[in-house]
């Protein structure tokens, strides 16, 4: 699949193109990463007005560049992670009670790790902190009295922001 853009090139003093502009070098790499053949990419550059020698030379240089091999490895990793995420999402949708979170007393460390941590299954432990003094002193009234003048900010509509992790 060829990404469509209008190519530009640097020009020599005689007006002929000497090299592809950086944005078009990126375009070439993007298409090579999408498994377009160098011949197809060079032909598209020609179709868009780049001389055949410049198109073929530029594509060949970029196809042989070691950075392309590194980019391919990173792209494969990204595709694998996307696949894992899709599978986990699909798996989660198969649950009989997808939003139900188990509530239980605290398990042993090995059971916690095997059953919840290693499988990313959420759980609420009902007796984990029963002896903590904070459970008696941290009340809405206590927080109101201690932090009456503190302004808090909340994050909402996370999914609407494409860069929420940043």
């Amino acid at each position: 699949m060829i990404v469509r853009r209008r190519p530009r090139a640097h020009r020599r003093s005689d007006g002929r193109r000497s090299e592809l502009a950086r944005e078009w070098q990126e375009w070439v790499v993007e298409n090579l990463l999408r498994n377009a053949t160098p011949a197809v990419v060079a032909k598209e550059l020609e179709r868009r007005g780049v001389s055949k020698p410049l198109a073929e030379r530029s594509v060949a240089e970029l196809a042989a560049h070691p950075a392309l091999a590194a980019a391919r490895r990173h792209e494969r990793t990204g595709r694998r992670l996307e696949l894992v995420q899709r599978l986990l999402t699909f798996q989660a949708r198969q649950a009989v009670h997808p939003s139900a979170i188990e509530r239980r007393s605290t398990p042993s460390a090995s059971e916690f790790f095997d059953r919840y941590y290693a499988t990313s299954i959420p759980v609420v432990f009902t007796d984990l902190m029963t002896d903590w003094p904070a459970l008696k002193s941290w009340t809405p009234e206590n927080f109101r009295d201690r932090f009456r003048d503190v302004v808090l900010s909340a994050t909402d509509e996370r999914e609407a922001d494409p860069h929420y992790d940043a």
Side-chain angles (χ1 to χ4, degrees):
M1 176 176 145
I2 296 289
V3 177
R4 303 286 180 195
R5 286 192 206 152
R6 186 165 194 73
R8 292 186 296 190
H10 296 289
R11 295 192 183 271
R12 300 187 313 201
S13 60
D14 63 3
R16 292 189 342 202
R17 295 174 179 174
S18 62
E19 66 178 32
L20 289 179
R22 182 183 178 101
E23 68 185 62
W24 281 102
Q25 292 175 22
E26 291 174 8
W27 176 88
V28 168
V29 170
E30 185 177 349
N31 282 285
L32 292 173
L33 286 172
R34 291 181 175 189
N35 295 319
T37 65
V40 167
V41 175
K43 198 63 146 171
E44 182 65 20
L45 286 174
E46 277 184 73
R47 194 179 77 71
R48 303 269 184 167
V50 176
S51 71
K52 183 175 183 172
L54 176 60
E56 288 177 348
R57 178 176 50 84
S58 299
V59 172
E61 287 172 359
L62 291 166
H65 199 284
L68 184 63
R72 280 195 169 109
R73 285 192 303 274
H74 288 290
E75 185 183 43
R76 277 193 301 271
T77 299
R79 281 197 312 263
R80 286 181 190 133
L81 291 172
E82 287 174 1
L83 176 60
V84 168
Q85 181 58 48
R86 282 197 311 270
L87 290 171
L88 289 172
T89 301
F90 174 79
Q91 183 180 10
R93 289 186 181 139
Q94 306 308 308
V96 176
H97 303 290
S99 61
I101 296 177
E102 182 181 356
R103 299 176 67 84
R104 60 163 294 178
S105 63
T106 308
S108 68
S110 62
E111 182 185 2
F112 166 74
F113 184 82
D114 290 345
R115 186 165 176 186
Y116 302 104
Y117 182 80
T119 59
S120 297
I121 295 174
V123 63
V124 174
F125 299 122
T126 57
D127 61 353
L128 188 65
M129 312 176 304
T130 55
D131 58 342
W132 284 20
L135 289 177
K136 295 180 183 70
S137 63
W138 288 2
T139 64
E141 296 76 24
N142 173 275
F143 284 123
R144 181 196 62 221
D145 295 343
R146 291 175 58 200
F147 304 108
R148 181 180 311 266
D149 298 325
V150 174
V151 176
L152 300 176
S153 61
T155 302
D156 61 349
E157 297 185 17
R158 235 177 105 143
E159 293 78 19
D161 181 358
H163 305 291
Y164 67 83
D165 285 336

